[in-house]
Amino acid sequence: MPAAKRIRPLDLFTREEWEHVSRRSSLLGTGTVIHAWAVIALAMAAAIWQPWLAILAIPVIGARQLGLAILMHEAAHGGLHENRKINDFLGQWLCAAPVGAHLRNYRGYHLTHHKYAQQPEDPDLALSAPFPVTRTSLRRKIIRDLTGQTFLKQRRNQFANALGLGIRKTKGNVNRAQSAREAVIPFVATNLLLLAGLTLTGHWWAYFVLWLLPLATWNQMVTRLRNIAEHAVVPDHNDPMRHARTTLASWWERALIAPYWVNYHCEHHMFMHLPCYRLPEAHKRLAQKGITAQMEVKRGYWGVLKEASSKPEKAAA
C-alpha cells in the first residue's frame, strides 16, 4: 500500500510564514515538561492540604499524565529540545517512563503511523477502525477505563510480556518481550522514586491516591477520548486534510481532556514536524486563508463522541 499523501508546507504558507510557524524553541519545549510536573505537584499539594480536593486533583493529575504521554510524542518528533540527547532524556525519563511508555520503541511505531495514516499498514488503525460503535458499547468502554479495568489489563499484559510468560519463543515474541522489559523497568524505577519521594515527605499514601489512581482511571479515559477524536469516523482516509481531526476545545476540555494542544491533530498530520506549541498559530493562519474549511475540524469533544457512538443499537429479540 502506498504511503499516506502529504502536503507541502509552501503550498499553504509563504516561506516567511512557514519559517515563523515551524521554528523550535528548546525553552518552550522544556517549559512544557516543567509545566506538566508543576501542575501535578500543585494538585497533589492541594489534595494533601485538603483531602476533599482529591476529587478535583484526580482528573487534573490524570490529564497531566496524558500530557506527559503527549510530550513523549513531541519528543518522538524531536520537539522538546534542539539537542537530541537532551530531547530524548526529557522524553524518556520525565515523560514516557513514569506513565509506562518507552520513547525509542514509541518513536518507530509512531512514525510508521504517520507514514501510513489510516491505511492498512497503520499500526494505530485498530484504535479507530471499530467506530462508530453504539452508545452502549462506548459507555462500557468508559466504565472499564474509570474503574481501572483497562489499566489493569494493559499492565498485566505488559508485565507478562516482560517476563516472557505465556508466549512461545519465536523471534517476534522475543522482540515483544524485550520491548515490554524496556518499558517496564523504567516504569517501576521512576514510580519507586515517586513513592520514595512522597514517603520522605510523610505522605506515602499520596502515591497511591494521587498518582496511581489517576493513572489507572481518568488517564485511561481521556487517552481513549483522545484516540477517538483524532482518527475515528474521519470522512476520508486518503485526504491528508481529512484523515485526522482537529477538535476545537474549550478551556476546561484543554485542562481535563486535551492538554498541550493535542486537539490540533489535523494540523499535526499535515505538518508532523511542527512543534506542539506552534499548532494553535498554524491553525489560526490556515483559518485566515480559508483552508480550515477543507479540513476535518469539529467543535468540542462531546460532538465527536456523539458521532463516534452513532451506530444504532441492535433491536431486542
Side-chain angles (χ1 to χ4, degrees):
M1 188 77 183
K5 294 179 181 178
R6 294 283 178 260
I7 295 175
R8 295 189 307 169
L10 297 184
D11 287 344
L12 301 181
F13 297 97
T14 66
R15 186 170 300 278
E16 292 74 18
E17 287 173 334
W18 179 247
E19 288 176 355
H20 177 76
V21 82
S22 64
R23 72 190 188 282
R24 293 185 172 185
S25 166
S26 297
L27 181 63
L28 289 175
T30 305
T32 56
V33 179
I34 294 171
H35 179 270
W37 281 105
V39 171
I40 290 169
L42 288 171
M44 282 186 172
I48 290 170
W49 171 58
Q50 291 290 338
W52 66 268
L53 287 174
I55 298 171
L56 298 175
I58 286 170
V60 168
I61 293 169
R64 290 304 130 177
Q65 289 168 331
L66 170 60
L68 294 177
I70 292 165
L71 295 176
M72 172 196 69
H73 163 268
E74 186 68 13
H77 289 285
L80 290 185
H81 201 282
E82 293 170 293
N83 182 295
R84 178 65 177 263
K85 289 184 178 180
I86 297 175
N87 174 84
D88 286 3
F89 175 84
L90 293 172
Q92 170 60 20
W93 292 104
L94 294 184
C95 299
V99 296
H102 190 275
L103 175 62
R104 187 179 67 248
N105 295 341
Y106 174 80
R107 178 179 279 137
Y109 169 97
H110 182 68
L111 294 181
T112 301
H113 162 64
H114 271 278
K115 183 177 181 179
Y116 297 108
Q118 294 295 284
Q119 307 301 318
E121 293 85 353
D122 181 356
D124 274 351
L125 190 60
L127 298 174
S128 59
F131 293 93
V133 297
T134 64
R135 289 189 180 183
T136 299
S137 175
L138 181 60
R139 189 182 305 117
R140 282 198 302 264
K141 290 175 171 61
I142 290 175
I143 290 171
R144 288 197 296 267
D145 294 340
L146 290 176
T147 55
Q149 296 176 65
T150 304
F151 175 80
L152 288 174
K153 181 180 179 181
Q154 290 176 349
R155 292 286 88 78
R156 183 173 64 244
N157 291 341
Q158 188 182 45
F159 275 71
N161 286 336
L163 294 171
L165 300 177
I167 60 175
R168 293 179 301 166
K169 290 188 176 180
T170 64
K171 182 178 180 180
N173 285 338
V174 169
N175 291 339
R176 183 164 53 127
Q178 178 62 27
S179 295
R181 282 193 293 273
E182 289 173 349
V184 163
I185 293 172
F187 174 65
V188 171
T190 51
N191 275 256
L192 285 175
L193 283 174
L194 281 168
L195 175 58
L198 289 166
T199 300
L200 287 173
T201 67
H203 304 291
W204 62 268
W205 59 268
Y207 169 78
F208 299 96
V209 176
L210 299 175
W211 176 262
L212 200 57
L213 182 59
L215 187 63
T217 57
W218 190 268
N219 173 66
Q220 298 299 312
M221 183 188 71
V222 294
T223 297
R224 185 183 299 279
L225 299 186
R226 169 200 173 182
N227 288 331
I228 291 171
E230 288 178 349
H231 291 289
V233 291
V234 292
D236 191 341
H237 289 193
N238 296 310
D239 185 343
M241 291 192 187
R242 306 189 80 196
H243 66 205
R245 177 182 293 107
T246 282
T247 305
L248 302 179
S250 63
W251 68 268
W252 68 266
E253 288 174 315
R254 294 194 300 273
L256 298 178
I257 299 175
Y260 305 119
W261 311 283
V262 72
N263 53 303
Y264 292 103
H265 202 62
C266 188
E267 289 84 356
H268 172 63
H269 266 265
M270 290 165 66
F271 315 109
M272 70 174 179
H273 293 298
L274 279 183
C276 64
Y277 41 83
R278 305 290 187 203
L279 291 172
E281 182 181 357
H283 178 86
K284 181 178 179 181
R285 288 179 180 269
L286 292 172
Q288 290 170 346
K289 297 170 183 282
I291 294 167
T292 52
Q294 306 168 46
M295 296 162 53
E296 173 62 5
V297 179
K298 297 291 185 184
R299 184 169 294 279
Y301 280 81
W302 180 249
V304 175
L305 288 178
K306 286 178 66 176
E307 188 173 348
S309 60
S310 61
K311 183 178 179 180
E313 301 282 350
K314 289 183 179 180

